[in-house]
């Protein structure tokens, strides 16, 4: 049986092909699944997708009509999949419920430190042999307060690093994490966390309840010199409202690995095209903003775990087994 894998990055391809080698043939494609590319899956019982693939109603119907019976998503997030339609069509959907939390937490800290210490500007200057320090002053994070919105596995890993820096910890989540509390974290309402934190990092899933969790009102609550980091999902932040605050000269730094309208942009080369997204175009012009292209998870360790779990999900589907990774069970 051949499996079609959509949205495969060059570094990811050998890991996928190696993992599936003893079980199934894999056709790795760098194109993302959408209405235009869905016909490629015709005749394939199983397809493998990435988080930036479109698995809305029309795409799912096209897949089902072409004979697809299982979608194996190579990510934890699944907000790109219409699960209700998948269930109605009898499609099995599985995801990767766990991979290295350190990959994302460490990258979130990379963003935080880069904007705090003006690393991008400093690197650009030294390439031009400009060794002045003007405008590069950062600040110690030791003794300051880190606010962690979402204290699951990734949030906990982020908090442990913050604890190592000697920071005070504030947390917000629907459930308290005992491991974070052992680090000295104090759980408080979101509004208090935003108002008191010097560094704020987002680690919550994107759901209707968390959509634009950081909206205009939340941004107004934050300190003028706060650092904001988002390595979770772009839809957690109202980007237009963020741009408005940045235009007022607020925030020491903002590090974003995700963007609410990243589909059709991230993971693609758009360097020779005019960017029609005015909000993103404006966002990247701010000297205190660093935007990366959804790469926080992208370590050999994490991608290897993602691929291995995806293989197990496919084998479970073929064997009629159900695991905690199944979002829509086999009908």
């Amino acid at each position: 049986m051949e499996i079609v894998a959509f949205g495969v990055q060059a570094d990811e391809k050998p890991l996928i092909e190696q993992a599936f080698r003893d079980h199934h043939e894999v056709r790795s494609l760098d194109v993302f699944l959408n209405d235009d590319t869905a016909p490629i899956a015709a005749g394939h019982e199983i397809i493998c997708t990435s988080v930036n693939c479109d698995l809305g109603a029309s795409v799912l119907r096209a897949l089902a009509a072409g004979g697809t019976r299982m979608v194996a998503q190579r990510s934890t997030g699944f907000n790109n999949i219409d699960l209700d339609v998948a269930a109605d069509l009898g499609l099995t959907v599985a995801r990767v419920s766990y991979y290295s939390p350190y990959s994302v937490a460490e990258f979130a800290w990379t963003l935080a430190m880069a904007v705090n210490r003006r690393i991008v500007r400093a690197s650009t200057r030294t390439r031009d042999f400009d060794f002045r320090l003007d405008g590069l002053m950062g600040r110690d994070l030791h003794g300051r307060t880190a606010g962690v919105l979402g204290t699951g596995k990734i949030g906990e890993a982020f908090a442990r690093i913050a604890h190592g820096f000697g920071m005070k910890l504030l947390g917000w989540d629907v459930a308290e994490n005992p491991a974070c509390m052992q680090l000295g974290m104090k759980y408080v309402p979101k509004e208090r966390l935003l108002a008191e934190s010097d560094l704020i990092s987002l680690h919550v899933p994107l759901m209707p309840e968390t959509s634009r969790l950081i909206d205009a009102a939340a941004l107004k609550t934050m300190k003028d010199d706060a650092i904001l980091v988002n390595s979770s999902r772009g839809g957690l932040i109202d980007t237009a409202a963020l741009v408005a605050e940045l235009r007022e000269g607020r925030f020491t730094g903002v590090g974003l690995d995700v963007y609410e309208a990243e589909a059709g942009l991230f993971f693609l080369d758009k360097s020779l095209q005019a960017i029609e997204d005015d909000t993103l175009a404006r966002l990247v012009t701010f000297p205190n903003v660093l935007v990366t292209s959804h790469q926080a998870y992208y370590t050999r360790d994490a991608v290897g775990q993602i691929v291995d779990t995806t293989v197990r999900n496919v084998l479970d589907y073929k064997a009629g087994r159900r695991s905690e990774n199944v979002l829509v069970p086999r009908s």
Side-chain angles (χ1 to χ4, degrees):
M1 176 189 297
E2 183 183 65
I3 297 171
V4 178
F6 289 91
V8 177
Q9 304 298 309
D11 296 331
E12 186 183 16
K13 183 177 178 180
L15 297 177
I16 290 177
E17 294 180 348
Q18 174 67 28
F20 274 104
R21 185 179 61 182
D22 296 331
H23 308 287
H24 299 285
E25 295 182 7
V26 178
R27 182 183 175 193
S28 297
L29 305 176
D30 59 1
V31 298
F32 293 99
L33 179 63
N34 53 40
D35 285 309
D36 295 329
T37 60
I40 298 174
H44 293 84
E45 181 182 353
I46 302 171
I47 66 165
C48 185
T49 57
S50 69
V51 71
N52 269 13
C53 289
D54 177 3
L55 287 120
S58 61
V59 173
L60 291 172
R61 292 191 183 100
L63 293 175
T68 297
R69 307 307 304 159
M70 194 238 182
V71 175
Q73 173 107 327
R74 302 189 309 279
S75 72
T76 299
F78 53 90
N79 53 286
N80 60 320
I81 308 174
D82 191 324
L83 298 180
D84 292 333
V85 172
D88 290 342
L89 293 170
L91 294 172
T92 299
V93 180
R95 61 153 178 170
V96 177
S97 58
Y98 174 84
Y99 61 86
S100 169
Y102 309 107
S103 60
V104 179
E106 291 172 5
F107 193 83
W109 267 102
T110 300
L111 291 174
M113 294 304 296
V115 296
N116 178 40
R117 301 306 300 269
R118 313 290 195 261
I119 297 300
V120 175
R121 179 182 292 185
S123 176
T124 301
R125 282 186 183 179
T126 55
R127 285 177 179 271
D128 292 331
F129 297 98
D130 179 353
F131 300 103
R132 293 173 300 161
L133 297 182
D134 297 347
L136 301 183
M137 184 176 288
R139 57 179 174 172
D140 291 0
L141 293 178
H142 177 85
R144 288 188 161 86
T145 299
V148 186
L149 290 162
T151 56
K153 292 182 175 65
I154 297 175
E156 178 188 331
F158 184 91
R160 289 187 181 281
I161 298 172
H163 183 261
F165 271 83
M167 299 188 75
K168 303 170 186 176
L169 294 171
L170 296 180
W172 177 85
D173 208 327
V174 294
E176 298 179 351
N177 184 336
C180 290
M181 296 177 71
Q182 289 179 0
L183 297 173
M185 176 177 284
K186 182 176 182 179
Y187 282 86
V188 297
K190 182 184 74 172
E191 293 73 20
R192 179 179 170 186
L193 183 149
L194 296 176
E196 297 183 9
S197 297
D198 300 291
L199 166 61
I200 297 165
S201 192
L202 309 182
H203 300 288
V204 299
L206 180 60
M207 304 180 293
E209 298 80 8
T210 60
S211 178
R212 296 196 168 181
L213 182 72
I214 305 299
D215 58 11
L219 291 165
K220 293 288 187 186
T221 305
M222 293 168 54
K223 294 181 178 181
D224 287 343
D225 61 353
I227 295 171
L228 174 64
V229 173
N230 186 10
S231 58
S232 184
R233 289 292 181 267
L236 298 175
I237 296 178
D238 183 339
T239 314
L242 175 60
V243 168
E245 295 301 311
L246 288 165
R247 291 182 65 180
E248 296 296 321
R250 300 190 66 220
F251 307 135
T252 290
V254 175
L256 305 175
D257 185 51
V258 287
Y259 175 61
E260 60 181 333
E262 68 182 55
L265 289 172
F266 282 20
F267 305 145
L268 300 172
D269 182 2
K270 298 288 185 177
S271 60
L272 299 180
Q273 302 177 29
I275 298 299
E276 298 178 358
D277 189 326
D278 292 338
T279 302
L280 179 60
R282 183 68 179 94
L283 186 64
V284 298
T285 66
F286 291 103
N288 58 334
V289 173
L290 174 58
V291 178
T292 53
S293 52
H294 207 142
Q295 69 181 81
Y297 78 99
Y298 207 53
T299 66
R300 178 170 292 275
D301 308 84
V303 174
Q305 292 171 0
I306 289 169
V307 170
D308 289 344
T309 300
T310 301
V311 172
R312 290 198 299 273
N313 288 342
V314 169
L315 296 178
D316 285 345
Y317 163 79
K318 295 298 293 183
R321 296 187 295 264
R322 181 175 177 178
S323 73
E324 70 280 0
N325 297 322
V326 176
L327 299 170
V328 179
R330 186 171 187 172
S331 58

